[in-house]
Amino acid sequence: NAGVTQTPKFRILKIGQSMTLQCAQDMNHNYMYWYRQDPGMGLKLIYYSVGAGITDKGEVPNGYNVSRSTTEDFPLRLELAAPSQTSVYFCASRPTRASSYEQYFGPGTRLTVT
Amino acid sequence: AQKVTQAQTEISVVEKEDVTLDCVYETRDTTYYLFWYKQPPSGELVFLIRRNSFDEQNEISGRYSWNFQKSTSSFNFTITASQVVDSAVYFCALSEATGNQFYFGTGTSLTVIP
C-alpha cells in the first residue's frame, strides 16, 4: 500500500491564481481530512469527508473548496490564492471503525503564495 | 468548544534525561479521544497513541509512557532516557465522539542534545 499520497510536494502561486492540491489513499478509508499547518502552530482542520459525496467544513474553510467523488480521492481547491494561504497542507485518512480513530497522514504540500 | 493546550513551546534535554511533555484539553463531551503525534524534522506526522475518555489507565510502550488524568484534563507524555532520534515536534490532539473533527495543540518542539 502507498498509504496517503499528496501532489505536488511544493508549489509557488501568485496572488489570485488557483490550484488544486491532490490527495489519494489506497486503504479504503471512508474518512478523509485536509489540514493546514502554519509555522509554529498546530494543524487546523479545513474540510473533512465521511465518505464519497459527503463533505463538511472544519475550523478554517474560507478560501477553499473540496469534493469527494470517489473513496480514494479528496482534492482541495484554492480559488484566488492569497498570501494568508501560505502554509503546509496535510491530507489524512482514517478507518471507519470506532476502535481505530488514528489518522494516517500524507507527506504534505508546501505552498507559498506571493 | 474543544481546545488543546501545549504550554511548552520548546524543550531541550541532554541525551538520557527523562522529559515530560504536557497536554491540557477542554471539552464538554463525555466521550472523546486523545492522541499524540510525532513530527520529526522530515515533516511527516507519525501516530503514537490514542486514548478514549473512558480509559484512564496509563500506558507504557518502551521508553514512552502516557499519563491520562480526567480530573485535571491532562494527557501528558513522558520519554524516558531520551535519545537524539526523539528530537521532533510533538502534537497532542483531541477528537469528539464521532471522530469527524480533530483539534490539535500548537506542539512542543523537543531537542535532545547528544
Side-chain angles (χ1 to χ4, degrees):
Chain A
N1 286 351
V4 179
T5 58
Q6 292 183 239
T7 55
K9 290 185 178 180
F10 304 93
R11 183 71 184 269
I12 298 174
L13 279 182
K14 294 189 184 300
I15 295 172
Q17 287 185 323
S18 300
M19 77 163 294
T20 298
L21 280 66
Q22 301 292 344
C23 174
Q25 53 91 10
D26 61 359
M27 298 173 282
N28 202 33
H29 289 170
N30 282 327
Y31 287 76
M32 295 188 74
Y33 306 82
W34 273 107
Y35 293 90
R36 59 178 288 171
Q37 182 181 21
D38 298 327
M41 301 296 289
L43 280 71
K44 296 288 188 182
L45 182 64
I46 304 171
Y47 272 95
Y48 68 95
S49 171
V50 302
I54 306 170
T55 63
D56 207 347
K57 297 177 180 178
E59 281 186 273
V60 290
N62 292 342
Y64 307 95
N65 279 300
V66 295
S67 59
R68 184 95 181 271
S69 57
T70 67
T71 299
E72 295 77 20
D73 301 299
F74 190 38
L76 177 71
R77 178 80 177 164
L78 279 72
E79 305 282 1
L80 299 175
S84 60
Q85 294 178 304
T86 294
S87 191
V88 179
Y89 291 84
F90 287 98
C91 179
S93 71
R94 72 164 182 86
T96 301
R97 61 188 183 276
S99 63
S100 183
Y101 272 19
E102 56 263 31
Q103 297 173 299
Y104 297 77
F105 283 86
T109 294
R110 186 174 296 274
L111 176 67
T112 301
V113 181
T114 62
Chain B
Q2 325 277 4
K3 185 179 179 181
V4 176
T5 300
Q6 294 180 257
Q8 304 153 307
T9 305
E10 296 180 358
I11 299 176
S12 291
V13 298
V14 177
E15 199 170 22
K16 298 185 182 178
E17 286 185 344
D18 299 347
V19 59
T20 295
L21 309 182
D22 297 333
C23 173
V24 174
Y25 63 91
E26 296 176 27
T27 180
R28 293 181 179 177
D29 295 341
T30 55
T31 300
Y32 52 90
Y33 298 85
L34 297 164
F35 305 81
W36 277 95
Y37 284 86
K38 175 181 180 180
Q39 187 176 42
S42 53
E44 74 272 22
L45 284 141
V46 179
F47 166 79
L48 296 178
I49 191 172
R50 174 186 63 91
R51 173 67 73 229
N52 72 52
S53 53
F54 297 108
D55 182 3
E56 286 195 72
Q57 284 190 340
N58 292 330
E59 182 158 338
I60 298 174
S61 176
R63 296 184 296 107
Y64 295 171
S65 62
W66 291 269
N67 180 261
F68 175 31
Q69 291 195 335
K70 288 180 74 171
S71 60
T72 56
S73 297
S74 64
F75 186 43
N76 296 337
F77 173 29
T78 297
I79 301 174
T80 303
S82 59
Q83 300 177 0
V84 173
V85 293
D86 296 326
S87 295
V89 180
Y90 291 86
F91 291 99
C92 182
L94 167 71
S95 170
E96 28 75 53
T98 63
N100 289 347
Q101 300 213 34
F102 289 75
Y103 302 87
F104 282 75
T106 52
T108 297
S109 178
L110 174 65
T111 301
V112 181
I113 304 166

